[in-house]
Amino acid sequence: MAAVETETRDKVEMAPNNEFDALIIGAGFSGLYQLHKLRDELGLSVKVLEAGDGIGGTWYWNRYPGARCDSESHSYCYTFSKALLSEWKWTERYPEHPEIRRYLNFVADKLDLKRDIRLGTRVAAAHYDDTSNRWRVTTEAGEELSAKYLIAAVGCLSTANVPKIPGLDQFKGQWYHTGLWPHDGVEFKGKRVGLVGTGSTGIQATPVIAETARHLTVFQRTANYSVPAHNAPLTPAFQSYVTEKFDDIRRTMHGTTNGHAFVIEDRSVFDVSAEQRQALYEAAWQKGGLQFRATFRDLLADKQANDTAAEFIKAKIRSIVKDKATAEMLADIDHPYAAKRPPIDSFYFEAFNRDNVALVDVRADPIEAITASGIVTRSGKEYPLDIIVFATGFDAMTGPLLRIDIRGRDGLALKDVWAAGPRNYLGLQVSGFPNLFTVTGPGSPSVLCNMPVAIEQHVEWIADCIAHMRAKGLERIEAKPEAMDRWVGEVNAAANATLLPQAHHSWYLGANIPGKPRMFMPYAGGMAHYRRICNDVAAKGYEGFALSG
Ligand code: N01
């Protein structure tokens, strides 16, 4: 296999203008900022290679009905530039996908980034050449590029997971995955729609599809918690508050474990009476959003504490959903609250009160096959459908990296190093892969944090590291194997100090992909703590990394 690839590579003429100081894979939040840092601040020659025909990363692909951000808009943006902050105004509490794309295009235009982004360019392979100390990158079209530094800004949730259900190829209707949504939309009017999956995506899409579909059947394998988003337009007063107080807001975002613009209350569930607790949960429910999690400090650490939040939400579900059997199915949740990524919604549970919406429990009666005309479950029951929507998530965190043939020193393949699960140092570097950096890679807070905060921290750390190397005349940086082993231990310990691993089917563990090794992937020790660790490592001359001239 390696020989064939070398042969292909030899046939391609290496154009001199395809040699760069740095190549960045991906033009989402991470890749755009990394380009700005390396090109405009460090003066490197840089190119971004982006598979999509537009910038935006996850927001380029995820255009399904109801797709909007779960972080509040004033915290879902870059914070490094006062000029960007003062010129952009969000219109809603949670921005919808077109507004986020407009924002990222505004940033890219403002910083003149687009001239260094190659769209429609999917990276197939990246091989490190020890002799020249360069990464040789091959695109799917067979183009060759090379760079000293390779930055994978590929996102955590960019490899769509379409379950391998027998018969899908025979289905006569249309089917879609939410993460690869057609840009000209899908017409649901008059159609019988089946939606598989009740994670954040399915929960956002259900009420919107229900508004136009003739009938919507939601196939639920694991019942899920959800808290109302209470989305609304932002008032001019709030917009002015954000502009004036951004330094304070940013300080809050940088001080918390999850990078959001709210503080986690410093009280235990058991510091208050049952009545007070109920009142606090009710107030949090009325306020809405991910902040519900911040009502008490011990919700994610103590199962008994968590049970109180879980019971509150289950009671809400039963009070909203009128049909008793449906309400019980929705409230039959088998894991602690927020042990899976907690969704927020706009009238998800209410949608089941509509005459045209039905819920099917595919834990009890699993999907067995897809026929020409619909979905069949194990009991033999057939659900006739015109459209199937797979809201079935992603091969998260490792998927976007492993679908590229990445090879380090001596042809070492990343997929072999990660055969039993991802191993790296600080989520940033893998031993054996010099000068390769992964933005929000597994082993970093990433998906457990408000993403732009995690992204800014990584991008800035990587740029500082490269600046340090250039200042010292150093050519290579590589995680030491012992630092990597230690960090993998810390990632496991941080997860085990929480209730997160108790959701056995979570994508945090890789459990949603058949055959994927089970390993808790993100770092659960908190963003603020992680930032201190990374700063400390840099201050100690990049402790745990081998640097050479
Ligand atoms: O994916 P998921 P998602 N048969 O993996 C089910 C981010 N996000 O796209 O739990 C039947 O969470 C699966 O069932 P189970 C956010 O980080 C952000 O919803 O594996 N069902 C589950 O119910 C989020 O966590 C935002 O038993 C099958 C669902 O499909 C992440 O993306 C919005 C199945 C998948 O849920 C992923 O969310 C949306 C099968 N064969 C998402 N295979 C914003 O902030 C899977 N399922 C905007």
Side-chain angles (χ1 to χ4, degrees):
M1 182 68 185
V4 175
E5 274 154 10
T6 313
E7 221 174 86
T8 317
R9 208 167 43 233
D10 288 343
K11 282 185 202 146
V12 182
E13 210 44 40
M14 174 80 73
N17 63 356
N18 271 357
E19 296 188 2
F20 299 93
D21 294 324
L23 282 168
I24 297 167
I25 312 174
F29 261 96
S30 316
L32 295 177
Y33 185 31
Q34 193 74 73
L35 169 60
H36 171 62
K37 286 295 282 185
L38 298 185
R39 186 193 70 181
D40 302 334
E41 292 186 12
L42 268 58
L44 305 191
S45 65
V46 188
K47 208 47 98 185
V48 177
L49 306 176
E50 164 58 53
D53 289 326
I55 65 164
T58 194
W59 298 107
Y60 175 81
W61 303 101
N62 280 271
R63 302 180 188 219
Y64 59 86
R68 60 175 72 248
C69 183
D70 286 351
S71 296
E72 297 195 38
S73 54
H74 65 290
S75 65
Y76 198 74
C77 53
Y78 297 112
T79 66
F80 66 88
S81 156
K82 277 258 156 47
L84 292 178
L85 281 167
S86 61
E87 279 187 50
W88 182 262
K89 288 210 183 332
W90 293 106
T91 63
E92 289 184 276
R93 182 174 176 186
Y94 304 97
E96 216 185 341
H97 61 94
E99 188 171 16
I100 304 173
R101 279 194 303 280
R102 279 199 298 279
Y103 169 72
L104 289 170
N105 275 283
F106 152 78
V107 172
D109 290 335
K110 220 49 220 160
L111 301 176
D112 191 20
L113 299 177
K114 289 179 180 169
R115 66 185 155 91
D116 285 311
I117 301 172
R118 280 198 204 162
L119 299 173
T121 306
R122 186 176 286 283
V123 170
H127 294 183
Y128 176 70
D129 175 1
D130 209 357
T131 319
S132 60
N133 185 33
R134 291 183 75 77
W135 280 91
R136 305 210 172 269
V137 169
T138 313
T139 70
E140 269 187 6
E143 195 184 2
E144 282 264 326
L145 304 97
S146 86
K148 185 196 281 186
Y149 301 105
L150 179 64
I151 294 106
V154 291
C156 298
L157 297 160
S158 50
T159 305
N161 165 43
V162 180
K164 292 183 178 52
I165 302 171
L168 179 58
D169 53 339
Q170 333 247 298
F171 183 56
K172 291 271 188 287
Q174 294 116 43
W175 66 266
Y176 307 95
H177 186 281
T178 47
L180 297 169
W181 201 256
H183 289 189
D184 43 5
V186 174
E187 181 56 83
F188 292 108
K189 200 157 175 258
K191 307 282 189 191
R192 296 159 305 173
V193 182
L195 180 140
V196 184
T198 52
S200 301
T201 301
I203 281 176
Q204 282 187 334
T206 290
V208 186
I209 296 176
E211 275 170 25
T212 48
R214 169 144 69 100
H215 190 268
L216 172 66
T217 307
V218 176
F219 294 87
Q220 169 187 282
R221 188 165 69 181
T222 303
N224 212 339
Y225 301 95
S226 186
V227 168
H230 293 315
N231 185 41
L234 293 180
T235 60
F238 187 81
Q239 288 170 325
S240 307
Y241 153 79
V242 170
T243 313
E244 282 158 27
K245 295 285 179 199
F246 204 83
D247 287 343
D248 296 342
I249 294 171
R250 189 170 122 122
R251 207 167 301 122
T252 303
M253 286 156 65
H254 281 198
T256 65
T257 55
N258 54 31
H260 288 285
F262 51 78
V263 281
I264 297 168
E265 297 292 341
D266 188 21
R267 64 180 167 223
S268 160
V269 161
F270 306 108
D271 287 344
V272 298
S273 69
E275 292 72 32
Q276 287 168 322
R277 195 180 303 137
Q278 191 71 8
L280 288 166
Y281 281 140
E282 186 59 39
W285 182 269
Q286 294 309 332
K287 186 164 194 183
L290 293 172
Q291 195 166 352
F292 189 88
R293 255 183 327 183
T295 312
F296 297 102
R297 66 160 187 264
D298 43 359
L299 287 182
L300 265 179
D302 178 330
K303 177 68 167 58
Q304 263 186 304
N306 189 287
D307 285 347
T308 64
E311 286 313 316
F312 177 88
I313 300 175
K314 290 176 185 177
K316 281 288 183 193
I317 297 170
R318 292 186 181 105
S319 75
I320 295 168
V321 180
K322 296 195 176 108
D323 177 70
K324 264 199 158 354
T326 306
E328 280 319 308
M329 247 191 272
L330 289 165
D332 185 17
I333 308 173
D334 65 357
H335 53 280
Y337 166 63
K340 292 182 110 168
R341 156 69 150 70
I344 61 173
D345 70 274
S346 297
F347 309 108
Y348 172 65
F349 296 115
E350 289 82 350
F352 293 95
N353 291 334
R354 299 176 64 114
D355 292 338
N356 68 333
V357 178
L359 183 69
V360 173
D361 179 355
V362 292
R363 171 75 56 87
D365 187 12
I367 296 175
E368 190 88 342
I370 292 174
T371 63
S373 53
I375 288 181
V376 179
T377 56
R378 187 169 294 167
S379 65
K381 190 163 168 45
E382 175 156 11
Y383 298 86
L385 299 168
D386 304 305
I387 298 177
I388 300 175
V389 174
F390 290 105
T392 42
F394 303 89
D395 182 355
M397 306 201 76
T398 52
L401 290 163
L402 293 180
R403 76 170 160 187
I404 303 172
D405 174 25
I406 299 179
R407 288 171 196 242
R409 258 188 295 106
D410 307 320
L412 182 68
L414 186 62
K415 71 171 172 22
D416 291 336
V417 180
W418 285 5
R423 303 173 53 75
N424 62 18
Y425 181 37
L426 297 174
L428 280 160
Q429 269 218 326
V430 185
S431 179
F433 297 78
N435 295 353
L436 168 66
F437 297 95
T438 51
V439 183
T440 63
S444 71
S446 58
V447 294
L448 298 179
C449 180
N450 179 26
M451 284 306 292
V453 174
I455 286 167
E456 279 194 334
Q457 186 263 339
H458 260 192
V459 165
E460 288 164 9
W461 193 96
I462 292 166
D464 288 349
C465 173
I466 292 176
H468 168 86
M469 290 173 69
R470 286 162 66 81
K472 301 267 177 206
L474 298 165
E475 295 292 322
R476 280 184 180 79
I477 181 163
E478 183 183 341
K480 292 181 182 168
E482 62 274 21
M484 191 159 93
D485 291 345
R486 204 176 53 241
W487 185 248
V488 171
E490 284 197 40
V491 172
N492 284 332
N496 290 335
T498 72
L499 303 176
L500 293 166
Q502 292 191 19
H504 299 293
H505 29 54
S506 157
W507 60 259
Y508 293 154
L509 281 160
N512 63 325
I513 303 293
K516 185 165 174 169
R518 300 279 167 105
M519 179 164 167
F520 196 87
M521 294 184 286
Y523 174 66
M527 186 63 216
H529 181 59
Y530 173 81
R531 185 190 297 276
R532 281 192 294 275
I533 295 174
C534 291
N535 289 347
D536 221 42
V537 163
K540 290 181 181 153
Y542 294 90
E543 190 177 55
F545 293 93
L547 286 141
S548 58

